[in-house]
Structures are given as structure tokens and as C-alpha cells.
Amino acid sequence: LPIDLSFEDLVREHQALVFRTLLRLTGSREHLDDLAQDVFLRLYRALPSFRGDALVTTYLYRIAVNVAQDEWKRRRRDAQSLVSISDETSGWEDRLQHPGRNAEELLEEHEFQQMVDSQLQRLSNIERAVLVLYHQEERTYEQIAAALGLPIGTVRTHLHRGRKKLREGIEAKRVERHAAAGKGAECTNRG
Amino acid sequence: MNPEDANDTLELRLTRALENKPEVTVPAGFAARVASQVPARRAVAISPARYGLLATRIGMAVLFLALFVVAMRASDRIAVTMEWVLCAELAGLAVWYGSFGSFSRQQ
């Protein structure tokens, strides 16, 4: 931690990273503020043992993953159903203004994004963490291994397995949808 | 579209969806709120290891003892010369030690 950087500066510098990582890991905007606050308070407590050769972001990712895992445990305890990661503040209507793409394409893309996000929540905590850190946060295998305290080979395995599960989940969902759409059309034809 | 192409397209879309960073709105004043919840940090007294200083002190003590030992046997010219050399070394160390002490206090 640079000496001239206050804790408030540090929070300000990394807050967006923590918010979006937590959002993807928990799949919900609910309690996001509280969780992010928890991450930074845990970081503060860990600062005395902070090693200069480690990046603050490595610590932050590790803590964010732990906080997200605790949140999942809490939800399981409360027996809450899975919450969709639907973007409440910037819906697909906003994205319709994007030039060069028609509304149908954007809607389809938005639905696909939702499907990926919901399937992501079905993965194990560790698979989800690896996928989010690798794809969304653009971390290297080494950085993920350092953040999660895993060997690099294990990170690779989780990444591969996580992607495979995601793909299978999406394909199953699509088949389900096509079947439902087929049934709907059949009923309409009969009617 | 053949199954291989469809698979590639799905992979591509999947990667794009995963790489898509969700938009987040950080509440205004979040950093200040978090910072206000942590206890004020106490000034940490940093006392770096000063092995050089320790070695100087030991050296001075050894020189001082050597001066006495040599003085007791100072019957020939070599012993007297040795006595002066040791004296000079002790004086040099004392000067260096004194200046180092005042320098470190300034910092």
C-alpha cells in the first residue's frame, strides 16, 4: 500500500471493481452496498499483514470471493430462491438506442446474457469465481491462483469445467424453450 | 448452420457474455462512508534493525578493552604504536557514532 494513499482513496480507486465482481458472484444487486462495505472492512483488517509484493487487487478478489460465499451460505440459510441478475437500472430499452443493431437482435442478446448470468449462479462457488475473474476481470491464471489460493492446474480445470457446465446448461435451456414454443404453436394451430 | 459452426457461435457468444462487465452504480460518498467506519490508525513506530549501530557499539567496547590490555603491557615501541592506533580507531568510531545519532534524530 503506497504510504501517501489514504484508505478512502483506496476504496474510491477499487470500489467499481468490488461492486461488479460481487454483483456477478452473488447474482443480485440486493445488499450489494453492504457486501462491498464488508469487503473493504475486511481488507482494512488484513492491511497489517499486507505483503508489499502482493497486489491490493489480489487481496480484494480473495476477500470478495469469500464475502460472496458467505452471502450464498446466508441465502441458503434463509431458504431464499435464486434471484435473477436482471439489470434493473439499465434495461434493454436503453440499449435499443445502439446504432447499427436492430431491436430483435438486442433483445435476443439481452436474453442470452440473462441466460448466461442465471446459469452462472448454478455453478459451484469456486467455478463461478474462476470464470468471473478470468473473463470479466481479465485476470491471468497466476493471478487467479494467487487470489483463490489454488494451484494453477486447478484453476484451469475449474475454468474448463465451469465453461462446459455453462454451455450444457444454456443448450438444455434452449431445447426446453424450443419445446415449449413448439407446444404453444401446436395448441394455437388446434385452436 | 452445421453443428460445428453452431457450437463455435455459442462459444463466442458465451465468451462475450462472460466478458461483459455489468454496469454498477456506486452510491455517492461510499468511500467516505466506509473510511469513516474504520478506526483511526495509530501511528506505527517503525524501528528498523540497526545492525551497523550494534556492531559499532560492540567494536567500541572491544577497542576500549584492548586499549587497557595493551596499556598494561606497553613496554616497547610496538605496543605504544598499537595503543595510538587503537585510540585513533576509537576516536573515529566515537565521532561517527555521534554524528549518526544526531542524523537519525533529525529524520
Side-chain angles (χ1 to χ4, degrees), chain A residues 55-75:
Chain A
L55 287 169
V56 177
T57 47
T58 307
Y59 264 54
L60 275 173
Y61 284 129
R62 184 182 301 178
I63 298 170
V65 169
N66 288 339
V67 166
Q69 281 180 358
D70 291 347
E71 172 65 5
W72 277 103
K73 282 181 201 159
R74 189 191 65 79
R75 281 188 206 171

Side-chain angles (χ1 to χ4, degrees), chain B residues 6-60:
Chain B
N7 206 22
D8 287 350
T9 311
L10 179 63
E11 279 289 325
L12 210 67
R13 290 183 75 188
L14 182 59
T15 304
R16 209 185 307 139
L18 285 169
E19 283 174 357
N20 197 9
K21 289 183 172 65
E23 281 176 38
V24 287
T25 316
V26 179
F30 174 79
R33 182 152 48 91
V34 174
S36 72
Q37 290 193 15
V38 298
R41 254 190 199 289
R42 282 175 300 174
V44 182
I46 300 166
S47 51
R50 289 171 175 170
Y51 299 111
L53 219 56
L54 186 69
T56 308
R57 282 174 189 163
I58 293 169
M60 283 170 79

Side-chain angles (χ1 to χ4, degrees), chain A residues 51 53-66 126 129-130 133 139-156:
Chain A
R51 288 185 359 254
D53 57 342
L55 287 169
V56 177
T57 47
T58 307
Y59 264 54
L60 275 173
Y61 284 129
R62 184 182 301 178
I63 298 170
V65 169
N66 288 339
I126 200 74
V130 170
L133 292 183
R139 300 289 116 185
T140 61
Y141 290 132
E142 287 80 7
Q143 286 169 331
I144 298 170
L148 301 180
L150 295 171
I152 292 176
T154 313
V155 170
R156 280 205 184 99

Side-chain angles (χ1 to χ4, degrees), chain A residues 15-29 32 85-90 95 110 113 117 120-121 131-133 135-138, chain B residues 16-26:
Chain A
Q15 58 190 13
L17 172 154
V18 169
F19 268 75
R20 65 169 188 260
T21 306
L22 282 172
L23 175 59
R24 254 302 172 56
L25 290 176
T26 62
S28 168
R29 289 181 187 273
L32 204 55
I85 193 174
S86 60
D87 202 339
E88 291 152 14
T89 54
S90 57
R95 296 174 201 172
H110 179 65
Q113 181 75 53
D117 286 334
L120 199 58
Q121 305 311 313
L131 278 171
V132 169
L133 292 183
H135 287 291
Q136 181 186 297
E137 297 302 313
E138 295 166 18
Chain B
R16 209 185 307 139
L18 285 169
E19 283 174 357
N20 197 9
K21 289 183 172 65
E23 281 176 38
V24 287
T25 316
V26 179

Side-chain angles (χ1 to χ4, degrees), chain B residues 51-72:
Chain B
Y51 299 111
L53 219 56
L54 186 69
T56 308
R57 282 174 189 163
I58 293 169
M60 283 170 79
V62 170
L63 274 174
F64 199 67
L65 278 174
L67 273 172
F68 273 100
V69 172
V70 175
M72 279 191 287

Side-chain angles (χ1 to χ4, degrees), chain A residues 106-123:
Chain A
L106 284 165
L107 180 60
E108 201 191 330
E109 199 175 306
H110 179 65
E111 279 176 354
F112 186 79
Q113 181 75 53
Q114 277 192 322
M115 208 190 285
V116 171
D117 286 334
S118 81
Q119 289 301 320
L120 199 58
Q121 305 311 313
R122 289 171 185 265
L123 302 181

